[in-house]
Amino acid sequence: MDKSSMSISSNNINSEKININLLNYIDSNVIIFSLIGFLLSRSILIGSIAPLGIAFFLGISKVERYRIPIFISTLMGVILSGNA
């Protein structure tokens, strides 16, 4: 077998296995927690210190379901606040 040639086998991906339905993951708690994380991350305590959003994310991240949406909303709040 020549080293320069590659053998590619075709794998059929079953779309039923990769069925991601976002409506199963978004409910009223996710929306409320995301809004709280966004607003807390924009709050400034002393000077330009804003630790409340990160603290909220660390507290709520113990629940696996809320980890990704709260991280995204907290990150967006930190980026959009302009506390750099």
Side-chain angles (χ1 to χ4, degrees):
M1 184 172 192
D2 189 22
K3 289 184 179 180
S4 63
S5 65
M6 290 182 59
S7 170
I8 300 174
S9 63
S10 65
N11 293 331
N12 293 333
I13 298 174
N14 192 356
S15 64
E16 293 175 5
K17 291 181 182 178
I18 309 176
N19 187 9
I20 298 174
N21 191 358
L22 291 177
L23 294 177
N24 289 339
Y25 296 106
I26 297 176
D27 61 351
S28 61
N29 288 337
V30 172
I31 294 171
I32 291 171
F33 288 151
S34 296
L35 183 63
I36 291 171
F38 178 77
L39 293 175
L40 282 177
S41 64
R42 293 182 54 90
S43 64
I44 300 171
L45 291 181
I46 300 170
S48 64
I49 299 173
L52 296 177
I54 298 170
F56 178 74
F57 167 70
L58 291 175
I60 205 75
S61 68
K62 293 180 180 180
V63 180
E64 181 71 29
R65 180 177 182 163
Y66 302 132
R67 190 170 291 163
I68 301 292
I70 303 304
F71 173 74
I72 292 171
S73 67
T74 304
L75 183 66
M76 291 304 294
V78 169
I79 290 172
L80 294 175
S81 67
N83 290 336

